[in-house]
Amino acid sequence: MNQLELKALAKINLGLDVLGKRENGYHDVRMIMQSIYLYDTIRIEKTGADEGISLCSNLSYLPSDGNNIAYKAAQLLKEEFGIREGVRITLDKHIPVAAGLAGGSSNAAAVLFGMNRMFRLGLSQKELMDRGVKLGADVPYCIMRGTVLAEGIGEELTPLPAMPKCTVLIAKPPVSVSTKTVYEALDAEEIPKHPDIDGIIKGLEEGDLRQIARSMGNVLEDVTIPMHPVIAQIKQEMLEAGAIGAMMSGSGPTVFGLFENRAAARTAQKNIREKSLARQVYVTNIHSVRRD
């Protein structure tokens, strides 16, 4: 196997709660993560012996060296296993960048998974996840995928019943959000209301999409929306078009809406684009993972 092509899936947070801050600066969280069928395509190729890592992408502004998390993932395995052959990584990116959708983490997860197969390293999913957390808190989840409860700093993962099928609308407004700034703002004030994570889990167990939508919440909205009111405008457009729930994903600025009716999602997509609230607006689906 000299070449491999993989899909690196985006994620949304059905619920995101922050429980406290550790002395090392990391935050204790309780989140429900869900992969969706919006993805980057990752191609991994072997090159000659004693060659290093090369990385390129369709986005000229992305780093192509050790500042790219996908590059770091390849470097980690090459160094640990003494892999002498070079590796060429090509990222064809469609997941919006710096958007709260774990695009970079998903790229790193795909490289770990792909190199494990390509070089027959024999690592289990758990062993890949143990290495992934060294790269970023979302990487272990991006290896596991599906519907998952994430605790600790995001690395303690518990699989949950699959999310009911529905249409997902993704809209990323043209603003930049600093995760560090968002968490600093959150630390500076009391959290007025925590999301109903247990309510989401109950909805998943019962296969009740409306129960899930009613229980969704993201504590980071309280600090991100005042900085970027367009997030609230996009949420409102989705709800007015028929979304049964709409929320910011991660630290933002991307907003997602859950729809029972695909035509309603298309209407919301059209309205959001026409009002210039976001250019990157995608209609997609939940991605489920079979767990034996």
Side-chain angles (χ1 to χ4, degrees):
M1 185 185 293
N2 293 317
Q3 183 173 311
L4 195 60
E5 193 166 283
L6 299 161
K7 291 182 173 69
L9 302 182
K11 67 83 187 163
I12 54 175
N13 299 89
L14 300 174
L16 194 165
D17 199 3
V18 177
L19 307 178
K21 185 178 180 181
R22 299 184 179 184
E23 287 184 8
N24 62 6
Y26 285 97
H27 289 78
D28 282 299
V29 296
R30 194 164 185 243
M31 307 184 289
I32 296 182
M33 318 271 265
Q34 174 62 56
S35 46
I36 58 173
Y37 212 69
L38 173 64
Y39 59 87
D40 297 336
T41 302
I42 314 297
R43 186 181 307 109
I44 307 170
E45 303 167 84
K46 289 181 183 176
T47 57
D50 296 321
E51 291 190 18
I53 301 163
S54 62
L55 184 147
C56 64
S57 83
N58 58 321
L59 301 179
S60 59
Y61 55 83
L62 285 186
S64 58
D65 56 12
N67 292 309
N68 188 300
I69 192 172
Y71 186 107
K72 289 179 183 176
Q75 193 172 42
L76 186 151
L77 292 183
K78 270 180 68 70
E79 289 177 359
E80 179 180 354
F81 290 92
I83 297 169
R84 290 185 58 223
E85 288 168 283
V87 175
R88 181 184 300 117
I89 301 166
T90 306
L91 310 179
D92 185 14
K93 293 197 64 69
H94 300 279
I95 302 171
V97 175
L101 298 172
S105 295
S106 192
N107 293 170
V111 170
L112 292 175
F113 180 87
M115 286 186 61
N116 185 46
R117 283 185 60 191
M118 181 176 279
F119 293 101
R120 298 178 182 173
L121 304 180
L123 296 172
S124 66
Q125 183 184 74
K126 171 74 166 56
E127 289 169 328
L128 286 174
M129 289 163 62
D130 288 343
R131 286 156 178 80
V133 77
K134 298 174 185 175
L135 301 167
D138 282 344
V139 178
Y141 165 74
C142 292
I143 292 168
M144 180 180 277
R145 307 204 294 198
T147 313
V148 173
L149 173 67
E151 297 174 290
I153 62 167
E155 87 290 7
E156 297 172 20
L157 304 178
T158 305
L160 295 171
M163 174 84 170
K165 298 292 184 187
C166 63
T167 297
V168 182
L169 181 63
I170 299 291
K172 196 264 181 183
V175 297
S176 297
V177 172
S178 161
T179 300
K180 182 173 181 285
T181 301
V182 167
Y183 273 96
E184 284 173 353
L186 187 76
D187 292 337
E189 52 188 70
E190 290 290 320
I191 296 173
K193 184 183 177 185
H194 290 270
D196 186 4
I197 301 293
D198 291 331
I200 300 172
I201 294 172
K202 184 172 183 285
L204 290 167
E205 290 170 346
E206 296 176 355
D208 186 341
L209 185 63
R210 287 185 172 264
Q211 163 75 22
I212 294 165
R214 280 195 304 272
S215 304
M216 291 193 319
N218 180 348
V219 295
L220 300 182
E221 284 189 342
D222 294 333
V223 292
T224 308
I225 288 177
M227 297 177 192
H228 303 287
V230 67
I231 294 168
Q233 292 176 266
I234 293 172
K235 285 178 65 175
Q236 190 61 33
E237 286 293 334
M238 291 185 180
L239 293 169
E240 288 179 359
I244 60 169
M247 194 175 83
M248 185 181 80
S249 185
S251 56
T254 300
V255 178
F256 70 90
L258 303 182
F259 290 80
E260 294 174 309
N261 182 311
R262 200 170 186 86
R266 291 285 183 198
T267 298
Q269 179 187 41
K270 179 171 174 285
N271 293 344
I272 289 165
R273 282 184 174 153
E274 285 181 351
K275 293 181 180 182
S276 299
L277 299 174
R279 284 179 296 176
Q280 293 175 287
V281 192
Y282 308 102
V283 176
T284 186
N285 302 302
I286 292 297
H287 177 269
S288 298
V289 174
R290 285 188 60 186
R291 306 201 194 274
D292 299 323

